[in-house]
Amino acid sequence: MSIQTVCVVGAGQMGHQIAMLSALAGFKTILQDLNEVALDKAKSNLQTLMERWVAKGKITEEFKDASFNNLTFSTNIKTSASEADFIIEAIVEKLDAKQELFKILDKYAKPTTILASNSSTIVNSLLAEVTNRPDKVINMHFFFPPLVMDCIEVVKSESTSEKTVQLTMDVSKKMNRTAVLLQKEISGFIANRILGALQREAVYLYENGYADFKDIDLICKKALHHPIGPFELMDLSGIDVGYYVMQQRFAETGDLLDKPSRCIEEKVEQGHLGRKTGKGWYLYNKEEIKN
């Protein structure tokens, strides 16, 4: 099977950049979202990002234009799914929402189409169970921001076929990303389980008054040589994203260690979600949010 057309569902902070990666790789690419405003914002953001790439000499003006010719924007899920050979889901990190979407994708996509999830924590077997193609369902976890981060966690379940695995690895390679295959499912995969352990400890130390969150970030950067601290990383990724991940993990395990901490809950309740809202653990001006 040859992958010609890729559909990315969800035009948020992950989805629109994944779609651009696909278009840059030469795939005919459809970025689908029910929200027209989200699609307009995605298109504007991508034009700005690619113009910066041209200015920095990373790509030529001609290559930029050719890549945008590969990319279309649509609010029609039925048409978008039916045209695709490979679909990447990149919507909110909530199991019920993803399962509902996978039912729709399974209904409208060609029988041969692979359904991949960009979930950062939800194993694909929980999504495959609502479809009639469990052998063609897989995790394809990109890292934020996808146009910068050179890693994809590809996770197979017991039902995922080797053909699906190979095609997903091939798509990742064509997107110029390093794909690492996990042979067994585990909630949160590899990177986020390690980051989650660091974040839990950082939040514990903060909530119990051992140090201010800024000082915890400073120690991680100066002593551990982390590029950014755990609280800065929460702001970058989106505090709500991490919150939903923890909620899902807690629902699966019942372990109180996996339950979102109160300070995280408060940020979400207040709408202080990090860079994207201008305020999280830190305050951000408009220029910082753009970057």
Side-chain angles (χ1 to χ4, degrees):
M1 179 183 172
S2 175
I3 306 298
Q4 303 294 327
T5 302
V6 173
C7 173
V8 179
V9 181
Q13 65 176 0
M14 293 295 291
H16 76 289
Q17 290 203 15
I18 294 171
M20 194 71 239
L21 274 178
S22 175
L24 289 165
F27 293 112
K28 178 184 176 184
T29 305
I30 306 164
L31 179 58
Q32 191 280 331
D33 198 294
L34 296 176
N35 189 330
E36 188 79 54
V37 173
L39 289 173
D40 290 341
K41 182 179 179 181
K43 186 174 183 179
S44 176
N45 286 346
L46 291 176
Q47 288 172 336
T48 299
L49 283 169
M50 291 303 101
E51 285 167 5
R52 287 180 187 167
W53 279 25
V54 171
K56 292 177 180 179
K58 295 178 70 173
I59 58 174
T60 64
E61 186 76 29
E62 292 74 21
F63 185 73
K64 182 203 76 173
D65 292 342
S67 297
F68 272 108
N69 285 336
N70 292 332
L71 182 59
T72 57
F73 301 81
S74 175
T75 57
N76 191 318
I77 185 67
K78 180 178 179 179
T79 302
S80 300
S82 66
E83 292 179 1
D85 306 309
F86 196 100
I87 300 176
I88 304 171
E89 167 271 315
I91 66 169
V92 64
E93 194 70 3
K94 293 184 178 180
L95 178 59
D96 56 350
K98 291 183 187 293
Q99 286 181 328
E100 190 59 37
L101 175 60
F102 269 67
K103 289 178 186 177
I104 295 170
L105 296 176
D106 187 51
K107 179 180 179 181
Y108 293 125
K110 294 175 290 190
T112 54
T113 298
I114 290 170
L115 306 182
S117 174
N118 178 54
S119 173
S120 58
T121 188
I122 298 170
V123 294
N124 73 78
S125 58
L126 294 175
L127 306 175
E129 67 184 24
V130 303
T131 76
N132 295 304
R133 62 182 85 200
D135 60 313
K136 295 180 178 65
V137 179
I138 195 165
N139 287 101
M140 190 183 189
H141 176 219
F142 295 77
F143 290 85
F144 182 78
L147 283 166
V148 175
M149 299 297 286
D150 176 25
C151 189
I152 298 174
E153 290 177 322
V154 176
V155 190
K156 61 177 291 190
S157 71
E158 291 183 358
S159 300
T160 307
S161 72
E162 290 303 322
K163 183 176 181 181
T164 296
V165 169
Q166 189 55 58
L167 284 168
T168 305
M169 297 295 280
D170 290 345
V171 168
S172 302
K173 184 177 181 180
K174 194 168 181 182
M175 288 183 178
N176 197 31
R177 288 295 173 266
T178 300
V180 182
L181 177 62
L182 279 65
Q183 295 286 351
K184 292 170 60 178
E185 289 187 318
I186 185 168
S187 177
F189 318 138
I190 302 299
N192 279 342
R193 289 185 72 88
I194 294 170
L195 284 175
L198 175 67
Q199 178 183 306
R200 280 195 300 273
E201 187 64 20
V203 169
Y204 172 83
L205 293 169
Y206 165 71
E207 285 194 325
N208 286 275
Y210 292 100
D212 183 70
F213 69 88
K214 292 180 181 178
D215 292 328
I216 294 171
D217 277 352
L218 185 62
I219 289 169
C220 287
K221 289 185 288 186
K222 294 295 185 180
L224 304 180
H225 286 192
H226 291 189
I228 60 176
F231 294 92
E232 290 174 308
L233 182 57
M234 282 187 255
D235 276 1
L236 178 64
S237 302
I239 293 173
D240 56 329
V241 175
Y243 175 72
Y244 294 139
V245 166
M246 287 182 278
Q247 275 193 321
Q248 176 61 33
R249 182 83 62 81
F250 179 60
E252 292 177 18
T253 67
D255 188 339
L256 290 175
L257 289 175
D258 292 327
K259 187 177 181 180
S261 62
R262 183 59 195 149
C263 66
I264 301 294
E265 286 183 338
E266 288 175 352
K267 295 290 185 188
V268 175
E269 290 168 359
Q270 294 164 356
H272 299 160
L273 308 180
R275 285 176 179 263
K276 61 186 176 183
T277 61
K279 183 178 182 180
W281 292 102
Y282 296 85
L283 285 171
Y284 301 91
N285 59 42
K286 289 184 178 180
E287 192 60 32
E288 286 174 317
I289 294 170
K290 288 180 182 179
N291 293 332

